[in-house]
Amino acid sequence: MNRLTVKNLLGIKQLTEQDINLIFKTADNFIKIINKPIKKVPTLRDITIANLFFENSTRTKLSFELAEKRLSSDIINFSSSTSSLQKGESLIDTVNNIIAMKVDMVVIRHPNAGASDFIAKNVNSVVINAGDGSHEHPTQALLDAYSIRNKLGLVENKNILIVGDVLHSRVALSNIFCLQKLGATVKVCGPSTLIPRHIHTLGVEHIADLKDGLEWCDVVNILRIQLERQNVKYIPTLREYSMYYGVNREILNSINKKIVIMHPGPINRGIEVSSDVVDSKQSIVLDQVENGVAIRMAVLYLLASKIQK
Amino acid sequence: MSNEKQIVDNREFSIMINRLSHQLIENHLDFTETVLVGLQPRGVDFARKILNNLVEISGNNNIVLGSLDISFFRDDFGRRETIISPDKLDMNFSIENKRVVLIDDVLFTGRSIRAALDALTSFGRPKEVELMVLIDRRLKRHLPIQPDYVGKSVDSISSERVIVKWGNDGHNKIILLKK
């Protein structure tokens, strides 16, 4: 099979294991492409892509934009802070106006869960979810799993621990779906106020103690405390959080193995992870960024063939 | 089968590979400024045969061979029923100012070679590019592209297919398949 089973990338939940492996295989080719002297290929030169960012983003937006440019597509960018949304326009009106400009693909980030599903149901363009509220962030999960595969050779049968604010994290949910589909075991770690109450229904166990979790895992994916999504207090203070759940050199030295350190960014150094750990050889944080461009190129390439011209 | 016609047998095949190798040596001597580049997927098989033969004839073990994947440079993206699956890209050398010999099995419309030229120049600016093909289906070109080294020229109609079969133990043959 060399085609994805889906027309849009709305979440990892809708993908099959074969889809994920096809994206990885295609990304392997793009890694080679983006390491050539000339990094651009003309593949998508007659495709127009709109990047609609209704929520702030640096990394994902730049990564998508670079991936689109490397594939020679035309792009238009939209960010809500400078748009007519401020004048009261609805989401579907904004999107329809952009689609009317003959846009083939839409990359959308939105603070509300389900926004990309809503757009996909109402327009004909191919839709890629670049993060919807606390729901899913599929390309991040793909690049995380891809980075694990490249580092450890295989995702199957590996133990992956997600530490931190799982409750508000779309990265955590997409990661859980993706890693489980590839045969890994996922557990979460953090204060119980930041762990979704019914997380066990996803087949995910909660480990309360960070050291127990680190001793169990091969890879730890550290999440940021999302203060902007918290309107009630889930933790007493950041300092206390950092003392109990901050990953630092001391706790890593106290366990008997070398585990791989990941972080989807943005990193709050000194809170969820210490500076020396982020910059250590165990950390693959910057590999994640490079892999992100290749994974997004692969997703764009594979989905562009679904465009109805 | 009645719709299959063998156009090259194993003996002719060896003679062709030998002749092409000698032509290459005549033009490139010790290959210090030359790199061979096979096109994925089937051009690479042919290029390996040529390389092995060159080593056998000349004893030169320093000839460089790369494999080029052209999937992302094709001009028919979105115009085909199936999506093209990219192959392995292996170009771990510089082509800057080098003489490049592009190698493919069958030259037909010329579109693959056009894409290959684009793919190739994304690695740098070669001094010159030559084209070697095993089979030249010379009457069916869509683009003004001609080979420099030809194993055999074949006149065929569009509905026919030319298939190169690489057998084990050197049992190679080329067949013309009629629809």
Side-chain angles (χ1 to χ4, degrees):
Chain A
M1 224 10 226
N2 62 358
R3 284 175 84 89
L4 294 178
T5 56
V6 292
K7 185 201 159 212
N8 305 297
L9 181 62
L10 304 176
I12 299 291
K13 199 175 183 178
Q14 292 89 352
L15 297 182
T16 63
E17 188 190 343
Q18 286 76 18
D19 286 334
I20 298 171
N21 283 322
L22 174 62
I23 294 170
F24 287 1
K25 189 171 155 251
T26 313
D28 286 341
N29 294 97
F30 283 119
I31 287 275
K32 292 249 169 119
I33 296 279
I34 59 180
N35 282 301
K36 287 192 307 168
I38 296 172
K39 298 169 178 60
K40 210 173 161 93
V41 289
T43 322
L44 300 190
R45 65 189 159 191
D46 53 355
I47 305 278
T48 308
I49 303 173
N51 297 318
L52 313 182
F53 280 75
F54 294 89
E55 189 186 84
N56 291 338
S57 161
T58 315
R59 200 174 331 260
T60 307
K61 191 167 176 226
L62 284 178
S63 182
F64 263 112
E65 211 174 313
L66 193 59
E68 290 154 3
K69 286 181 172 169
R70 296 276 192 249
L71 289 166
S72 300
S73 55
D74 289 321
I75 58 177
I76 50 174
N77 286 316
F78 164 96
S79 62
S80 56
S81 55
T82 55
S83 74
S84 288
L85 280 184
Q86 311 279 355
K87 301 174 191 166
E89 194 179 41
S90 71
L91 174 62
I92 192 68
D93 281 336
T94 307
V95 173
N96 270 334
N97 272 281
I98 293 165
I99 305 275
M101 298 175 198
K102 305 269 179 280
V103 168
D104 304 297
M105 293 176 102
V106 174
V107 175
I108 179 170
R109 163 164 296 189
H110 199 279
N112 295 342
S116 55
D117 290 72
F118 173 70
I119 298 298
K121 282 193 185 110
N122 287 287
V123 303
N124 272 331
S125 305
V126 169
V127 178
I128 297 175
N129 180 7
D132 59 334
S134 302
H135 179 224
E136 279 227 45
H137 191 352
T139 54
Q140 179 71 44
L142 288 167
L143 77 89
D144 286 345
Y146 183 68
S147 303
I148 294 171
R149 188 198 78 157
N150 287 4
K151 182 75 181 174
L152 300 178
L154 210 66
V155 176
E156 204 181 342
N157 295 329
K158 295 284 183 284
N159 293 338
I160 288 113
L161 184 73
I162 302 176
V163 179
D165 188 355
V166 178
L167 186 63
H168 297 95
S169 173
R170 52 191 170 216
V171 175
L173 187 61
S174 288
N175 256 277
I176 290 167
F177 286 143
C178 190
L179 295 167
Q180 286 184 339
K181 282 183 189 206
L182 294 172
T185 309
V186 184
K187 293 187 182 182
V188 293
C189 178
S192 44
T193 48
L194 290 176
I195 304 294
R197 187 173 294 171
H198 301 291
I199 191 89
H200 61 275
T201 57
L202 295 175
V204 174
E205 201 179 295
H206 174 210
I207 301 180
D209 183 70
L210 180 63
K211 196 180 167 193
D212 291 347
L214 293 177
E215 274 171 351
W216 167 80
C217 73
D218 302 302
V219 178
V220 59
N221 199 350
I222 306 164
L223 304 175
R224 181 176 61 99
I225 293 292
Q226 305 200 20
L227 289 173
E228 76 275 17
R229 289 193 209 279
Q230 302 182 1
N231 37 28
V232 287
K233 283 272 185 189
Y234 290 88
I235 47 173
T237 61
L238 280 178
R239 187 163 164 270
E240 185 175 326
Y241 176 82
S242 183
M243 281 172 65
Y244 281 100
Y245 292 104
V247 178
N248 53 37
R249 183 46 53 199
E250 195 187 340
I251 193 161
L252 287 180
N253 285 344
S254 73
I255 57 172
N256 268 337
K257 57 178 181 182
K258 281 238 181 266
I259 53 174
V260 177
I261 309 287
M262 297 175 70
H263 195 304
I267 299 173
N268 294 131
R269 284 175 185 250
I271 298 176
E272 68 268 14
V273 59
S274 68
S275 256
D276 58 340
V277 171
V278 179
D279 301 329
S280 71
K281 280 190 179 151
Q282 281 170 271
S283 152
I284 56 167
V285 171
L286 292 179
D287 298 335
Q288 288 175 267
V289 179
E290 182 187 346
N291 292 338
V293 177
I295 281 287
R296 290 183 175 109
M297 285 174 85
V299 167
L300 291 164
Y301 174 74
L302 293 167
L303 286 180
S305 65
K306 309 267 177 176
I307 293 168
Q308 295 160 353
K309 284 268 182 189
Chain B
M1 275 187 283
S2 58
N3 59 351
E4 261 192 36
K5 181 183 158 199
Q6 182 166 311
I7 45 181
V8 176
D9 65 17
N10 192 43
R11 191 170 151 271
E12 285 174 280
F13 209 101
S14 306
I15 296 170
M16 263 163 42
I17 299 268
N18 248 317
R19 171 171 53 81
L20 291 169
S21 303
H22 280 105
Q23 284 176 339
L24 272 183
I25 294 172
E26 188 180 10
N27 285 341
H28 295 269
L29 299 173
D30 59 0
F31 291 84
T32 46
E33 292 303 310
T34 303
V35 295
L36 309 181
V37 175
L39 257 60
Q40 286 281 21
R42 286 174 299 271
V44 176
D45 297 333
F46 173 39
R48 276 207 197 94
K49 292 245 185 282
I50 291 286
L51 177 69
N52 291 343
N53 205 251
L54 284 173
V55 173
E56 216 169 276
I57 297 168
S58 64
N60 184 349
N61 284 315
N62 300 320
I63 307 172
V64 179
L65 169 67
S67 44
L68 187 64
D69 177 66
I70 59 161
S71 311
F72 301 123
F73 291 87
R74 297 180 63 103
D75 56 6
D76 55 358
F77 184 80
R79 292 168 182 81
R80 295 162 66 107
E81 280 297 304
T82 55
I83 192 164
I84 309 153
S85 294
D87 251 300
K88 205 170 156 235
L89 181 73
D90 185 10
M91 295 278 288
N92 298 323
F93 47 81
S94 166
I95 61 159
E96 196 70 29
N97 258 328
K98 289 282 168 65
R99 300 174 69 191
V100 176
V101 185
L102 270 184
I103 302 177
D104 204 2
D105 62 342
V106 180
L107 174 61
F108 186 33
T109 62
R111 285 178 191 267
S112 297
I113 303 301
R114 197 234 21 102
L117 289 170
D118 275 355
L120 190 67
T121 45
S122 72
F123 287 90
R125 183 179 187 273
K127 191 173 170 193
E128 61 171 50
V129 183
E130 291 180 323
L131 175 61
M132 172 184 282
V133 295
L134 189 56
I135 294 295
D136 176 15
R137 297 180 67 178
R138 59 188 168 184
L139 301 178
K140 286 294 162 195
R141 214 75 82 233
H142 293 180
L143 297 167
I145 283 170
Q146 301 307 333
D148 300 284
Y149 309 94
V150 180
K152 188 181 177 74
S153 292
V154 175
D155 297 337
S156 57
I157 54 172
S158 298
S159 62
E160 292 169 334
R161 286 176 65 204
V162 174
I163 300 171
V164 181
K165 290 200 168 171
W166 307 105
N168 295 328
D169 308 323
H171 281 87
N172 310 305
K173 61 179 179 179
I174 301 172
I175 52 172
L176 185 71
L177 204 64
K178 293 180 181 175
K179 266 200 174 164

